[in-house]
Each structure stands twice: as C-alpha cells, then as structure tokens.
C-alpha cells in the first residue's frame, strides 16, 4: 500500500542517518475507504493520491509548529508498505489517517516531497496562525530517494 508520512527536515536527516523512519507506531496518510467516500465517487486514483499527499503535508505543517528550530519546509515521504502494517484511523475529520505498526526502511521509500527554499517565508507565515495553520499555498516538489543527501541542510 502507498502511504504518505509527514516529516520535517530534521526527521529526514534522522532517516538518512538510521536508514529507517521509526520507531512504530507511525502516523501516516493513505487512500483509505474513508478517504474514497469523503472525496466522492468521481475521483480517480491520481486525485485520491494527491488528496492523501495534501493531508500528509498538513500533518507536516503541524510537526513544524511543534518544532520551532526546524527549517520551515514541509516534508512528506511516499512509501510502499505491506497492507498488514497499516491500521486505518477512526477520526472522521481525517479520512486518510492511518497508523503504521512497523518502521519504514529507506528501501521502501518511493519519493520525497518537499517545499522549496523559496516557500519558507510562506510556511512560516502559515505557522504564525498556530497549530491549525492554513496551507501556505505552495506545491511540494518531487525528489528521488537517492537525492536525500542533497536535500539536507
């Protein structure tokens, strides 16, 4: 199953050092039956994946609010994990929320989605509103997993 894990740049650096995102349990977002129902019957798979990525980007913003020392850039990891490691959430306000019951090794990552450095002022401004920050209005950029060392500050 494809999952999206919210993160920060310090978290990405830790993943690079240790070779995995963990320990479990880990909060993530996926295309769940609840997300499908929430989004409606006309959505295709690509739209649903984009919605899950957006939900994970919002969760990354909340992680940034809790870590004032982290660079103001949202990070989302896309990973392929076994279905058995995914437990659907129960919050109707977060239809794509899932919990992962195992760490995610670097080898399971498919991509890294990250704000550009030019987004930092807008992310910081969005965070000025508190933990329910608004979307800063930037699309996350896509990077290959092999580019992680070059993404770190």
């Amino acid at each position: 199953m494809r999952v999206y894990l919210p993160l920060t740049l310090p978290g990405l650096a830790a993943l690079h050092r240790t070779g995995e995102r963990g320990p479990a349990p880990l909060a993530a977002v996926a295309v769940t039956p609840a997300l499908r129902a929430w989004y409606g019957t006309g959505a295709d798979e690509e739209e649903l994946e984009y919605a899950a990525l957006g939900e994970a980007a919002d969760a990354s913003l909340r992680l940034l609010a809790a870590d004032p020392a982290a660079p103001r850039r949202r990070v989302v990891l896309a990973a392929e994990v076994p279905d058995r490691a995914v437990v659907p959430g129960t919050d109707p306000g977060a239809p794509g929320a899932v919990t992962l019951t195992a760490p995610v090794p670097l080898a399971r990552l498919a991509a890294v989605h990250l704000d550009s450095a030019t987004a930092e002022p807008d992310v910081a401004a969005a965070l000025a509103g508190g933990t329910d920050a608004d979307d800063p209005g930037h699309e996350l950029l896509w990077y290959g997993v092999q580019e992680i060392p070059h993404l770190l500050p």
Side-chain angles (χ1 to χ4, degrees), residues 37-59:
W38 174 82
Y39 209 78
T41 56
D44 65 20
E45 198 63 27
E46 188 174 320
E47 289 172 298
L48 294 168
E49 293 285 340
Y50 187 76
L53 174 62
E55 202 173 309
D58 291 345

Side-chain angles (χ1 to χ4, degrees), residues 36-106:
R36 287 180 192 283
W38 174 82
Y39 209 78
T41 56
D44 65 20
E45 198 63 27
E46 188 174 320
E47 289 172 298
L48 294 168
E49 293 285 340
Y50 187 76
L53 174 62
E55 202 173 309
D58 291 345
S60 176
L61 203 57
R62 291 188 294 276
L63 292 174
L64 287 171
D67 184 359
R72 305 337 255 166
R73 295 170 72 186
R74 298 168 298 164
V75 179
V76 175
L77 306 175
E80 297 292 335
V81 300
D83 290 351
R84 68 183 178 278
V86 180
V87 177
T90 57
D91 180 358
V98 297
T99 300
L100 303 182
T101 61
V104 178
L106 190 61

